[in-house]
Amino acid sequence: MTPTLSQLHEYRTATDAPLFSGLPGDVAVSFEFFPPKSEAMERQLWDAVTQLKPLEPAFVSVTYGAGGSTRERTHATVARIIAEARLPAAAHLTCVAASKDEIRAVAERYWEAGVRHIVALRGDAGEPGAPFTPHPDGYANAAELVAGLKAIAPFDISVAAYPETHPDAASPEADIDNLKRKLDAGASRAITQFFFSAETFFRFRDACAAAGIAAPILPGILPVTNVAQARKFASACGAAIPAWMDGLFEGLDEKPAARQLVAATIAAELCRRLYAGGVRDFHFYTLNRPELAYAICHLLGKRPQNSDKATETPA
Ligand SMILES: Cc1cc2nc3c(=O)[nH]c(=O)nc-3n(C[C@H](O)[C@H](O)[C@H](O)COP(=O)(O)OP(=O)(O)OC[C@H]3O[C@@H](n4cnc5c(N)ncnc54)[C@H](O)[C@@H]3O)c2cc1C
């Protein structure tokens, strides 16, 4: 893609110091949470929701544990965010270990609870990287799930995308064809797996455009504070942790505060480069902690809005 004049201006601004000055905050942000397992985690999640709500996210989303293990907790969390925080909340839903009838029941319950946005995923069977075996009466992949959900109710649907190619894909082109199938089946946007180079995202965005994909592609931003943990997770899900990141975290194992600062710096720089390349939508993997996402949004010029929508105090 040839950069526009305003992008060239942005590139120039991004290379002049100070890097983040004067950004107008013309970005839309969304935040991903996972369903809490204990009361303490529930308080932590609610603290994160409360802190991030004033940034008026376009939506927040709640993940679905492997094999549907968090079905009830995901439902309870999404329903609570909608009812008490009054934020548009999306529920993640996977095809794993569920028949089409079971998926229908879950989706109908969501619709009744006021959930209008689903992040539709295939999911993974068993250990990360193990081959996916569909339920005999279930959906074989996310594209089928999208079509199935659309037939149940007019949900707004997001799907997953992989700038560094999903490990199951025959080729990067086949992976993009699969993304197009999901969008053609009725999804309205894609959210990417995390990545650490803006160029990786730009190349992927260009390849999607060349394949005729016009839907928004939201970069998934993971502020990494623990490289070893991130590396373990990344290898199974089509993302690479660059070698330079090890160097930046070297010697900080016992220094959590410094690690946080380094994590925020790396993720903020990535977002600034994405912004310079025209990106205006950012999806943050918060891991239920608000600080890093909040700080990065702040640097991007996104500031709290006066909201008359109350966030009720947890019981
Ligand atoms: C933003 C985001 C959120 C996520 N949230 C969750 C979550 O909450 N819970 C969870 O368990 N997992 C989650 N995941 C992980 C996801 O479930 C895994 O990455 C899974 O392996 C693939 O899911 P998918 O929806 O991308 O699958 P699909 O789009 O179905 O594709 C998976 C792979 O199979 C290939 N493929 C699919 N159909 C065909 C076909 N007909 N022919 C040939 N190849 C095909 C695709 O090219 C791709 O390589 C998330 C991932 C992302 C990026």
Side-chain angles (χ1 to χ4, degrees), residues 78-154:
V78 172
R80 183 172 179 201
I81 291 175
I82 290 175
E84 294 180 32
R86 296 182 205 156
L87 284 172
H92 293 218
L93 183 59
T94 73
C95 311
V96 178
S99 68
K100 290 181 185 175
D101 285 346
E102 284 165 333
I103 298 265
R104 168 179 287 278
V106 172
E108 285 175 349
R109 262 186 84 206
Y110 275 133
W111 189 264
E112 281 159 23
V115 179
R116 296 291 178 266
H117 182 173
I118 303 259
V119 182
L121 304 141
R122 185 196 72 181
D124 292 304
E127 285 299 300
F132 179 76
T133 315
H135 184 287
D137 300 316
Y139 295 109
N141 52 53
E144 282 191 11
L145 176 63
V146 172
L149 289 171
K150 277 287 185 191
I152 294 166

Side-chain angles (χ1 to χ4, degrees), residues 32 62-68 92-96 119-124 140-143 159-162 165-171 174-179 181-182 191-194 220 233 236-237 283 285:
E32 186 170 307
V62 180
T63 59
Y64 198 69
H92 293 218
L93 183 59
T94 73
C95 311
V96 178
V119 182
L121 304 141
R122 185 196 72 181
D124 292 304
N141 52 53
V159 290
Y162 302 88
T165 308
H166 189 280
D168 293 353
S171 66
D175 212 23
I176 289 174
D177 287 346
N178 178 60
L179 174 59
R181 272 196 296 277
K182 296 192 277 193
I191 305 171
T192 77
Q193 188 55 273
F194 59 79
F233 182 62
C237 66
H283 182 79
Y285 295 106

